[in-house]
Amino acid sequence: MPAQDVHETAVARYFEAWNATGTEDIRKAVEAAWTQDGTYTDPLADAAGTEALVAVIAAVQEQFPGFAFRRTGEVDGHHGLVRFSWELVSGADGSAPVAGSDVAVLAEDGRIRTVYGFLDRLPQA
């Protein structure tokens, strides 16, 4: 598989995990997207391992019911690294109060080993 396809696939699986619903579906999507010891770190969360990743995703979904993550812009990758931007969009009105950019380190099998997330836009408190 060409390198760009590996990057695109990793990012697509990442969004499938963040947009999965129900604990079991989230777990299956996390297992497809991340390695077993995969991590996710942003200013508000620091998770390591499948169960912690499932818990973080479920907590975000609970905080933002009816919202979905969508990619903005292109996927950029090289040497097992990939970066992309995203926003969290309301299904009700299309607003996107949260947006960010992530950098991921991929494992040999194309799954995510580590994600470093940066929050570019947050809702007002």
Side-chain angles (χ1 to χ4, degrees):
M1 183 181 306
Q4 193 57 29
D5 290 348
V6 170
H7 300 128
E8 293 279 349
T9 298
V11 172
R13 288 180 182 157
Y14 177 82
F15 284 106
E16 288 170 11
W18 281 99
N19 290 323
T21 56
T23 304
E24 281 310 306
D25 286 343
I26 294 171
R27 182 175 290 103
K28 288 176 187 173
V30 164
E31 289 171 348
W34 269 273
T35 60
Q36 187 174 8
D37 61 347
T39 64
Y40 175 85
T41 304
D42 73 17
L44 304 175
D46 191 10
T50 301
E51 293 311 310
L53 291 165
V54 169
V56 165
I57 291 170
V60 169
Q61 291 181 359
E62 186 176 311
Q63 185 177 359
F64 293 95
F67 283 73
F69 285 90
R70 76 172 173 209
R71 192 181 90 198
T72 59
E74 298 300 315
V75 171
D76 184 23
H78 63 85
H79 295 92
L81 299 171
V82 61
R83 71 176 174 166
F84 53 95
S85 297
W86 53 267
E87 58 188 3
L88 185 59
V89 181
S90 168
D93 65 12
S95 64
V98 183
S101 299
D102 292 354
V103 175
V105 179
L106 304 182
E108 290 292 321
D109 67 2
R111 289 187 298 159
I112 296 167
R113 181 180 314 280
T114 303
V115 174
Y116 300 104
F118 297 85
L119 301 174
D120 301 325
R121 181 171 64 237
L122 288 172
Q124 298 296 322

